[in-house]
Amino acid sequence: MLLLLQQFPSLPSSGAASFPPPFQNVQSAFLCLRDCKRPPLPVLSAFSSGPKFSNECHRVNCSRRSAAVLCTGKRPRQGSRPKKRERVPQNVDLPAVLPKKKKKPYPIPLKNILQAARADKKLAAMGMEKPLEPPKNGLLVPDLIPVAYEVLDAWRILIRGLTQILHTVPIHACSECSEVHVAQVGHDIQDCHGSTSGSRKGFHSWVKGSINDVLLPIESYHMYDPFGRRIKHETRFNYDRIPAVVELCIQAGVDLPEFPSRRRTQPVRMIGKKVIDRGGFVEEPELEKHVDRKSQVIDLDTHRSLERFPPPDISEVPKIAQETINAYEKVKWGVNRLMKKYTVKACGYCSEVHVGPWGHNAKLCGEFKHQWRDGKHGWQDATVDEVFPPNYVWHVRDPKGPPMRRGLKRFYGKAPAVVEVCMQAGAQVPERYKPMMRLDIVVPESEEAQLVA
C-alpha cells in the first residue's frame, strides 16, 4: 500500500548526499507498509522489526523520480493460535448407502489389521503366546457386567413401549422393498427398487407395518462356549437364534437360566491363530423338562408383541414415548460400550451378525459373488449400526397432512424409525437428531420449489 507523503522535514541534509548523483534532489517519498508474510522486495534488505530506508527508482512517463521506502513489520506472538469458532451442526446428511455389488468397507483400517497380523505371526514363529486381556481370553470384564444388565433392561422397555405406541401411531411398509413410512398415509416419492417397481413407475406398494419394520430383527446364534467348536453348516439347527443385543449381553455377564453360558476361571491361551488351551470342550447343559425356554424370554423378542401388550390410554402415550426413546438411547450407548471390548463379527456382504471371537461356518450368504465363496460369509469386525441398525425413515412434520412429493425431496429430513415414532407420539427429540431432521428448513409449495436456488 503506497501513500504519497510530503518531504520528510526531519531528514538530515547529509542523508541526501548518500543517494546516487541522479537522485540527490529528493522531491517526494513513498511509504510502503508491507505484510511480513509476503516475500521481501528486491530493493529491501532482510526482514527486521525496525524501519529501514532504501532507494528505489520508478519510471513514470519516461521520467525518473527518487523515492524513500519505509518498511515496517511486526513479529507474531509465540504460541498464539487463532480462536476457532464452534461449528454448530446444521442439516447433517445421512450416511451414504453402500452398494450391494461391493463388499462393505472395513471399520478398522486394513493397514492396522495387517500390522497386527504380522505381529501375531512373528510371535508365533518364535513360539511365544499371544498376550490376551479380558474378554479376549475368555474371562469377563467386571466393570461391564452392570452395563450389560442395564442394556438388557432397556431392551425390554424398548420392545414394550414401542409395541404400545404402535397401537396409536400408524406404520406403513412397502411390500416390495425395505422402505418404511410413519404417517397416516404413505408418501409419493418414487424410489422403490423392488422387483415389480417398473410397472408401478417407482411408487411403493404400501401395506400395514409391524414392529419388525421399525426395530429391525438382527439375530445371532447363541453359543454356550464362544471359544468352543465352531458352528458348521450341518449343525446350525442345534443352536438357538436370539437377538444379537441379547447374545452380546449374555456373553458380557448376564445370567439367563434359559440361555446358559460358560464362565471361565482360567484364561484361554493362543499362539497365533491356534488355541492351545481352552480348558477342554464342554457341552451345553440340558434344561429341565418343565422349563419352557420361549415363555421365559418372550419379553426379549418382538415375536407377536402386539398381542402381548394391549393398547394404552391416550393420556399415557407421551409418557410411554419418552421412556421408549430414553431406552433406545440407553441400548445404543450400552451396545457401543460393550462392542469396544467384546468381539462381534459381521458379514461384509449381507446382514448376518455373529457374537464371538470368530464367525460361524454356516453357508447361508446369498449376496454378491456368494458362488465364489460357496455360500460362506465374509467375516469382518462389526459396527454398532450393524448390530443395532437405526433404520432411517422420512421425517414427517404433519402426519395428517398431504403425502410427501418427489419434487420436494431435497427439503425433507430423516431420522431413525424409533425416534420418528416416539416423536409423533409426543416425546422430546434428542438434540443430536435435529440436524438430520432439517427442522429449520421451510418446505415450500410445489409451485415455489422451482424458484428456490
Side-chain angles (χ1 to χ4, degrees):
M1 182 179 186
L2 299 179
L3 300 176
L4 184 60
L5 303 178
Q6 300 294 332
Q7 185 178 0
F8 292 105
S10 61
L11 190 65
S13 58
S14 59
S18 61
F19 288 94
F23 311 105
Q24 289 182 359
N25 297 326
V26 180
Q27 300 297 333
S28 61
F30 290 91
L31 175 64
C32 176
L33 301 178
R34 182 178 64 87
D35 189 359
C36 60
K37 294 183 179 180
R38 297 182 182 178
L41 296 175
V43 298
L44 299 179
S45 60
F47 174 80
S48 63
S49 58
K52 284 193 174 182
F53 294 91
S54 62
N55 297 332
E56 182 179 9
C57 179
H58 296 274
R59 291 183 178 269
V60 180
N61 297 329
C62 299
S63 62
R64 294 188 175 183
R65 300 174 60 185
S66 62
V69 179
L70 174 64
C71 179
T72 62
K74 185 178 181 181
R75 296 180 182 273
R77 296 181 179 178
Q78 298 293 336
S80 61
R81 294 182 179 179
K83 295 183 179 180
K84 295 183 178 180
R85 297 179 59 184
E86 296 182 359
R87 298 183 59 184
V88 179
Q90 183 180 7
N91 304 334
V92 177
D93 294 332
L94 295 175
V97 179
L98 300 177
K100 293 186 177 180
K101 294 185 178 181
K102 190 177 181 181
K103 189 176 182 181
K104 303 175 187 176
Y106 290 100
I108 301 177
L110 186 60
K111 180 180 179 180
N112 298 348
I113 298 176
L114 297 177
Q115 184 179 1
R118 285 192 295 265
D120 295 344
K121 187 177 180 180
K122 185 177 180 180
L123 292 177
M126 295 186 295
M128 300 176 60
E129 295 184 12
K130 182 192 302 185
L132 299 175
E133 297 181 357
K136 306 296 182 181
N137 57 3
L139 303 180
L140 295 178
V141 181
D143 296 340
L144 294 181
I145 295 178
V147 177
Y149 276 97
E150 292 179 9
V151 172
L152 196 64
D153 294 339
W155 178 258
R156 290 191 177 97
I157 297 174
L158 177 61
I159 294 177
R160 182 181 67 250
L162 192 58
T163 303
Q164 292 177 336
I165 295 175
L166 292 183
H167 284 290
T168 58
V169 178
I171 301 294
H172 298 276
C174 182
S175 60
E176 299 292 335
C177 66
S178 59
E179 182 73 9
V180 178
H181 192 61
V182 185
Q184 295 292 335
V185 294
H187 62 72
D188 292 339
I189 301 177
Q190 299 168 281
D191 56 355
C192 183
H193 300 286
S195 57
T196 61
S197 60
S199 60
R200 291 178 279 106
K201 297 182 180 181
F203 287 99
H204 293 277
S205 177
W206 298 112
V207 295
K208 185 179 180 180
S210 64
I211 186 174
N212 288 336
D213 297 318
V214 179
L215 195 63
L216 298 182
I218 303 297
E219 295 183 343
S220 174
Y221 286 106
H222 168 65
M223 298 189 65
Y224 174 73
D225 184 8
F227 290 87
R229 295 184 177 90
R230 300 184 72 173
I231 300 176
K232 298 182 180 180
H233 186 72
E234 296 78 13
T235 61
R236 65 186 186 277
F237 295 110
N238 299 336
Y239 301 89
D240 295 320
R241 298 275 292 181
I242 61 176
V245 175
V246 178
E247 177 64 16
L248 180 61
C249 295
I250 291 174
Q251 294 192 17
V254 175
D255 292 327
L256 293 179
E258 299 80 10
F259 297 103
S261 181
R262 182 179 181 180
R263 307 303 183 191
R264 282 183 166 83
T265 57
Q266 298 296 329
V268 175
R269 300 166 56 193
M270 297 180 63
I271 294 181
K273 296 183 179 180
K274 183 179 180 181
V275 180
I276 60 176
D277 184 12
R278 59 167 54 93
F281 294 101
V282 180
E283 298 295 335
E284 181 178 355
E286 296 183 359
L287 297 177
E288 298 180 3
K289 295 182 179 180
H290 65 277
V291 176
D292 189 3
R293 175 174 292 182
K294 294 183 178 180
S295 62
Q296 297 293 331
V297 294
I298 192 65
D299 56 342
L300 299 176
D301 198 357
T302 58
H303 178 64
R304 305 182 70 175
S305 60
L306 289 174
E307 301 177 3
R308 291 186 280 113
F309 299 102
D313 297 336
I314 301 299
S315 59
E316 297 180 357
V317 172
K319 179 182 177 182
I320 296 175
Q322 190 63 43
E323 295 177 354
T324 303
I325 198 170
N326 293 339
Y328 176 79
E329 293 294 307
K330 191 73 172 181
V331 172
K332 194 167 186 178
W333 166 83
V335 169
N336 187 18
R337 188 172 177 185
L338 293 177
M339 288 182 62
K340 291 181 179 179
K341 289 289 185 179
Y342 290 88
T343 305
V344 182
K345 298 294 182 179
C347 180
Y349 301 94
C350 66
S351 60
E352 181 69 11
V353 170
H354 184 76
V355 183
W358 42 71
H360 58 76
N361 289 334
K363 304 176 183 179
L364 300 175
C365 186
E367 295 298 330
F368 180 60
K369 292 186 178 180
H370 64 91
Q371 301 89 346
W372 294 13
R373 294 174 277 112
D374 194 20
K376 294 183 178 180
H377 296 284
W379 297 113
Q380 62 186 33
D381 292 327
T383 60
V384 178
D385 290 344
E386 291 175 327
V387 179
F388 191 58
N391 190 19
Y392 293 103
V393 299
W394 292 107
H395 168 58
V396 182
R397 302 188 183 186
D398 186 8
K400 298 182 180 180
M404 292 183 171
R405 301 179 182 181
R406 180 182 179 182
L408 305 177
K409 180 179 178 180
R410 60 186 175 131
F411 301 101
Y412 302 141
K414 283 193 173 184
V418 177
V419 176
E420 180 67 18
V421 170
C422 295
M423 188 212 65
Q424 294 191 17
Q428 296 293 331
V429 180
E431 291 294 333
R432 62 194 191 96
Y433 296 114
K434 291 182 179 180
M436 190 181 304
M437 300 168 70
R438 300 185 178 181
L439 299 177
D440 59 337
I441 293 181
V442 178
V443 179
E445 298 292 337
S446 57
E447 296 80 7
E448 301 174 352
Q450 300 178 358
L451 304 177
V452 179

